[in-house]
């Protein structure tokens, strides 16, 4: 599995409707050939022709392109469209040129001088590519053709999503999770880069003005000092919010460093004694796994701080040959709260955050269980199956 948030490729029968859509795409931009390439049934790292119009049958049946290879593989990997006319120059602002595809050895092929390739998102399968080639018009393809084809690719994506949803709604739920994480990443980056830099500049200007004030300007000095302290508090809160949304340390330094940061932040904010233990032989994990484990620990520690009335908590991540085991435990009041004023005992309200985490873990083929810890408190256990190479077994 690649280190991204995509679910693995699934084998779906899209039926004859794709042939009609590709034919419409060919006519839309008045081209002689069109094809739709989708991730392979055996591996998401390779594209194959799922539907074609005007393409020789031997080409359509045998064409294979790996991600990163020209041209469809590059478009699928970068998710950026490409328009090239006969002279080999890209047309349209924001488009990048790519090498002309080479003729595969011992595989039938044909040459084309002008083409448009646009990415097509496919639920649970990454990205496919819609290609049109050999325009009827002498002037070649234009920017309007590219825009029309991009819009039509969205229609094809909806068709693919509908078929995928008929087979399983897990892909849709996963895409929602993926979209949420991407939005968290974007907002966290903007908070850090834009708002954070603005606050730092304001603090710097206050320091400059304080230097200019005479010593006898006591009230003004005090006012600037209070304003500076307020901005410092805002900066700290901003960093906490950005970390909760999407910690850069997870992307830059990995899971161990991110979990250490979570533990230290819990200690600093509440005095909760948090111990982190990582056992077994550590090995690189896909981003989707690292992010899931981070979110579980983040939500578990948040619940401990809010509800458990605990003085200590422990986080254990154990690498085993065929699975990952994560255990978060505390010494708090446990699942059952003390008796209420009327003598009735009240169970702790279930966490909506843990419900979302359970769904994410299940989609990765794992389990999430919450129970009583020994001798007291609450214990959360997550188990995720792995292949021998460290990837999720269902990926």
């Amino acid at each position: 599995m690649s280190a991204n948030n995509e679910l693995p490729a699934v084998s779906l029968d899209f039926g004859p409707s794709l042939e009609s859509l590709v034919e419409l795409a060919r006519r839309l931009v008045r081209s002689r050939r069109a094809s739709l390439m989708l991730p392979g049934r055996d591996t998401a790292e390779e594209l194959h022709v799922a539907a074609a119009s005007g393409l020789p049958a031997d080409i359509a049946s045998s064409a294979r392109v790996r991600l990163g290879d020209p041209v469809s593989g590059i478009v699928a990997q970068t998710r950026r469209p490409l328009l090239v006319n006969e002279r080999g120059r890209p047309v349209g602002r924001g488009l990048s040129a790519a090498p002309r595809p080479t003729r595969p050895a011992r595989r039938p092929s044909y040459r084309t001088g002008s083409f448009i390739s646009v990415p097509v998102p496919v639920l649970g399968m990454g990205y496919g590519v819609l290609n049109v080639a050999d325009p009827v018009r002498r002037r070649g393809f234009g920017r309007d053709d590219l825009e029309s084809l991009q819009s039509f690719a969205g229609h094809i994506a909806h068709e693919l999503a509908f078929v995928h949803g008929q087979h399983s709604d897990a892909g849709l739920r996963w895409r929602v999770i993926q979209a949420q994480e991407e939005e968290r990443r974007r907002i966290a980056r903007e908070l850090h880069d834009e708002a954070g830099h603005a606050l730092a500049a304001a603090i710097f200007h206050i320091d400059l003005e304080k230097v200019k004030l005479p010593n006898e300007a006591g009230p003004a000095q005090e006012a600037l000092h209070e304003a500076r302290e307020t901005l410092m508090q805002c900066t700290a809160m901003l960093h906490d919010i950005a970390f909760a949304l999407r910690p850069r340390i997870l992307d830059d330094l990995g899971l161990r460093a991110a979990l250490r940061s979570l533990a230290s932040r819990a200690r600093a904010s509440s005095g909760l004694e948090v111990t982190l233990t990582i056992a077994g032989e550590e090995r690189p994990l896909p981003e989707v796994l690292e992010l899931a484990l981070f979110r579980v620990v983040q939500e578990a520690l948040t619940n401990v701080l809010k509800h458990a009335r605990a003085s200590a908590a422990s986080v254990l991540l154990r690498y085993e040959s065929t699975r990952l085991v994560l255990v978060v435990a505390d010494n708090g009041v446990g699942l059952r709260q003390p008796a209420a004023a009327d003598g009735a005992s009240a169970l702790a309200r279930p966490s909506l955050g843990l419900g979302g985490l359970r769904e994410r873990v299940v989609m990765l083929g794992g389990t999430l269980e919450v129970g009583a810890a020994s001798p007291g408190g609450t214990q959360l256990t997550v188990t995720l199956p792995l292949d021998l190479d460290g990837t999720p077994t269902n990926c």
Side-chain angles (χ1 to χ4, degrees):
M1 175 176 178
S2 58
N4 56 31
N5 289 336
E6 299 289 352
L7 282 177
V10 294
S11 177
L12 299 179
D13 181 12
F14 293 104
S17 60
L18 283 189
E19 298 287 348
S20 301
L21 290 174
V22 171
E23 172 66 15
L24 286 175
R26 184 183 69 81
R27 295 184 182 184
L28 181 66
V29 295
R30 300 184 64 187
S31 65
R32 293 184 175 88
R33 295 181 172 92
S35 66
L36 176 65
M37 303 195 76
L38 296 178
R41 298 178 185 273
D42 299 325
T43 173
E45 301 298 317
E46 187 178 72
L47 304 177
H48 73 284
V49 177
S53 176
L55 199 65
D58 53 352
I59 297 292
S61 61
S62 63
R64 297 289 187 275
V65 175
R66 292 191 59 81
L67 290 187
D69 289 347
V71 168
S72 296
I74 292 177
V75 172
Q77 186 176 65
T78 63
R79 304 174 186 179
R80 296 182 61 191
L82 184 65
L83 190 163
V84 172
N85 277 320
E86 189 68 37
R87 292 184 298 276
R89 293 182 297 181
V91 177
R93 188 172 60 184
L95 303 179
S96 58
R100 187 184 300 275
T102 56
R103 186 186 300 272
R106 296 186 303 275
R107 183 173 290 170
S109 182
Y110 70 95
R111 298 183 62 84
T112 180
S114 302
F115 61 88
I116 301 176
S117 297
V118 298
V120 180
V122 187
L123 290 180
M125 299 173 67
Y127 276 74
V129 179
L130 176 62
N131 302 294
V132 297
D134 302 334
V136 174
R137 294 164 293 187
R138 280 191 170 186
R139 65 178 178 86
F141 293 117
R143 181 75 185 189
D144 55 337
D145 296 318
L146 173 64
E147 292 174 352
S148 297
L149 205 64
Q150 285 182 290
S151 178
F152 193 75
H155 179 71
I156 293 178
H158 284 298
E159 174 70 14
L160 298 178
F162 174 75
V163 176
H164 186 277
Q166 288 180 319
H167 289 259
S168 172
D169 62 354
L172 180 57
R173 294 196 304 271
W174 188 259
R175 293 293 287 187
V176 170
I177 291 174
Q178 183 183 19
Q180 289 173 338
E181 290 295 345
E182 287 299 321
E183 188 66 6
R184 282 170 176 258
R185 190 200 300 263
R186 183 189 66 80
I187 294 174
R189 183 171 56 248
E190 290 184 359
L191 286 176
H192 182 275
D193 295 343
E194 302 297 333
H197 291 171
L199 286 173
I203 293 171
F204 177 73
H205 284 302
I206 287 177
D207 291 339
L208 289 179
E209 294 304 318
K210 286 182 66 177
V211 173
K212 296 177 184 178
L213 289 175
N215 294 332
E216 59 270 16
Q221 290 273 7
E222 184 65 25
L224 286 178
H225 176 74
E226 291 180 359
R228 188 183 192 279
E229 289 300 310
T230 300
L231 288 177
M232 290 293 292
Q233 293 174 8
C234 290
T235 301
M237 287 189 295
L238 189 69
H239 288 164
D240 288 342
I241 293 172
F243 182 87
L245 286 171
R246 176 73 183 213
R248 283 193 169 186
I249 192 173
L250 181 62
D251 297 326
D252 297 339
L253 299 179
L255 183 60
R256 174 187 280 267
L259 294 182
R260 281 179 175 173
S261 183
L262 274 178
S264 64
R265 284 171 177 265
R267 284 192 293 265
S269 64
S270 66
L272 179 72
E273 185 61 33
V274 182
T275 59
L276 171 64
T277 303
I278 298 181
E281 183 181 352
E282 290 186 64
R283 51 192 184 272
L285 297 175
E287 179 187 354
V288 64
L289 266 187
E290 290 190 340
L291 190 55
L293 293 169
F294 175 85
R295 291 297 183 207
V296 170
V297 176
Q298 183 182 42
E299 180 66 22
L301 291 180
T302 298
N303 285 342
V304 171
L305 294 176
K306 288 183 177 180
H307 308 298
R309 300 202 292 273
S311 61
S314 63
V315 178
L316 167 64
L317 175 60
R318 186 168 66 248
Y319 289 78
E320 299 182 358
S321 59
T322 59
R323 66 176 186 170
L324 282 170
V325 179
L326 174 68
V327 180
V328 183
D330 65 73
N331 64 350
V333 297
L335 295 177
R336 184 171 295 275
Q337 302 292 340
D342 59 1
S345 60
L347 287 175
R349 180 174 299 176
S351 169
L352 293 178
L354 283 180
L357 292 176
R358 187 190 304 275
E359 182 179 33
R360 181 184 299 208
V361 169
V362 168
M363 282 191 287
L364 290 171
T367 61
L368 186 152
E369 299 176 353
V370 180
S374 178
T378 304
Q379 178 173 299
L380 180 149
T381 304
V382 169
T383 302
L384 289 167
L386 294 174
D387 285 331
L388 294 180
D389 62 353
T391 60
T393 55
N394 67 330
C395 293

